[in-house]
Amino acid sequence: MGMSFSGRVALVTGAGAGIGRATALAFAAEGLQVVVSDIDAQGGEATVQAIRTAGGEASFVRCDVTRDSDVAALVVSTLETYGRLDYAFNNAGIEIEQHKLAEGSEAEFDAIMGVNVKGVWLCMKHQLPALLAQGGGAIVNTASVAGLGAAPKMSIYSASKHAVVGLTKSAAIEYAKKGIRVNAVCPAVIDTDMFRRAYEADPRKAEFAAAMHPVGRVGKVEEIAAAVLYLCCDQAGFTTGHTLTVDGGATAI
C-alpha cells in the first residue's frame, strides 16, 4: 500500500539535522515540496541542498519557534512560495537536562519550555488557520516516550513533552470535524547529534541507552521519519489525537 502525497506541501521545523532532516528528505522523496525550517541557517540550507541533489524541491526559511513573528512569517512564506500547506511536522526541540529536579535552573526551565512547548503551540496556532482555509490537512508534533511517563533526571524535558501530548490531543479534538488531523510521534532514544552530545562524555551511558530498548539498539532517524509520513498520509485518515510510540519496545516492559 503506497502513501498518497501527490501535489502536496510539507513544512518541517527543526529540519537542519537529525529527525527533522530525515523527515524532510523522506517527504521530498515522496514527491512533496518541502519547506525546511530551523534556527540554524547552515543546517537548514544543507538539508535543502541534500533534497535538491536527490531531485526534490525545497526551500529554507529561518525561524525561531519561540517568536510569534517568526512563526507567522514562516507560514506566510510557505503559502507565498507554494500556494498551500498540507502537512506540518513540528519537530524543533531542545535537548534534555541531565540532573535531578532540584538541581535545575530557571533559565534551563524557560529555555526547554520555550522551544518544546511554546514553539509547538505557536506553530499550530499559525498552521491551523492555513489548514482550515484550505479545507484540511495533518499536523504531527514531536513528543517523546518521556512525555508518556516518568523520566528521572530529565523532569523539565519530560514535562515539556507531556505538554506536547496535551496540546496534540486537545487540538485533535477541536479540529476533528474540520478535516484536520493532529497526532504526535513519541520516539525513545534516537541516534542524533543531540543523543551524541548527551552521551559523548561517558560511552557507558550510550551503551545503557541501547540496552534499555528490548531490540538492543537506539533508533534511527529514518524510522521516525517513516512514522511521521504514515501519520500524514491519506491512509491514516481515521487516526487523530494519537501518540505513536516508536521506541524499540521500551514502553512495553
Side-chain angles (χ1 to χ4, degrees), residues 180-235:
I180 299 173
R181 296 183 298 104
V182 187
N183 294 289
V185 63
C186 296
V189 182
I190 307 300
D191 187 8
T192 64
D193 291 341
M194 187 183 296
F195 163 72
R196 297 185 196 109
R197 283 194 299 270
Y199 296 106
E200 64 185 354
D202 189 349
R204 292 173 300 176
K205 290 184 178 180
E207 293 174 5
F208 173 77
M212 67 181 280
H213 307 89
V215 298
R217 63 173 175 85
V218 299
K220 301 175 184 178
V221 291
E222 294 83 5
E223 291 168 326
I224 308 305
V228 174
L229 263 65
Y230 166 71
L231 290 172
C232 288
C233 77
D234 291 347
Q235 288 86 343

Side-chain angles (χ1 to χ4, degrees), residues 98-122:
Q98 298 183 68
H99 48 68
K100 292 181 180 179
L101 188 149
E103 298 166 4
S105 69
E106 185 176 5
E108 185 177 52
F109 181 93
D110 289 345
I112 293 173
M113 288 294 180
V115 177
N116 292 4
V117 183
K118 182 182 179 183
V120 170
W121 176 74
L122 282 174

Side-chain angles (χ1 to χ4, degrees), residues 47-248:
T47 300
V48 169
Q49 186 56 51
I51 289 172
R52 291 175 177 170
T53 298
E57 183 173 349
S59 59
F60 173 70
V61 180
R62 185 184 182 279
C63 178
D64 177 349
V65 296
T66 69
R67 296 174 57 88
D68 182 87
S69 59
D70 275 23
V71 179
L74 171 61
V75 174
V76 168
S77 178
T78 300
L79 297 175
E80 288 179 346
T81 302
Y82 296 116
R84 60 187 295 132
L85 173 63
D86 298 282
Y87 312 116
F89 179 36
N90 297 319
N91 170 70
I94 195 169
E95 55 202 85
I96 62 175
E97 78 273 27
Q98 298 183 68
H99 48 68
K100 292 181 180 179
L101 188 149
E103 298 166 4
S105 69
E106 185 176 5
E108 185 177 52
F109 181 93
D110 289 345
I112 293 173
M113 288 294 180
V115 177
N116 292 4
V117 183
K118 182 182 179 183
V120 170
W121 176 74
L122 282 174
C123 284
M124 289 201 292
K125 172 182 169 65
H126 290 286
Q127 293 156 0
L128 285 163
L131 296 176
L132 283 171
Q134 187 175 287
I139 294 174
V140 179
N141 299 318
T142 298
S144 168
V145 294
L148 301 176
K153 293 190 176 181
M154 45 193 288
S155 58
I156 304 171
Y157 180 84
S158 176
S160 75
K161 294 303 185 178
H162 276 273
V164 170
V165 170
L167 287 170
T168 298
K169 290 187 175 184
S170 297
I173 299 306
E174 290 173 357
Y175 295 91
K177 293 183 179 179
K178 300 294 184 180
I180 299 173
R181 296 183 298 104
V182 187
N183 294 289
V185 63
C186 296
V189 182
I190 307 300
D191 187 8
T192 64
D193 291 341
M194 187 183 296
F195 163 72
R196 297 185 196 109
R197 283 194 299 270
Y199 296 106
E200 64 185 354
D202 189 349
R204 292 173 300 176
K205 290 184 178 180
E207 293 174 5
F208 173 77
M212 67 181 280
H213 307 89
V215 298
R217 63 173 175 85
V218 299
K220 301 175 184 178
V221 291
E222 294 83 5
E223 291 168 326
I224 308 305
V228 174
L229 263 65
Y230 166 71
L231 290 172
C232 288
C233 77
D234 291 347
Q235 288 86 343
F238 202 53
T239 303
T240 194
H242 180 59
T243 51
L244 178 54
T245 305
V246 187
D247 68 351

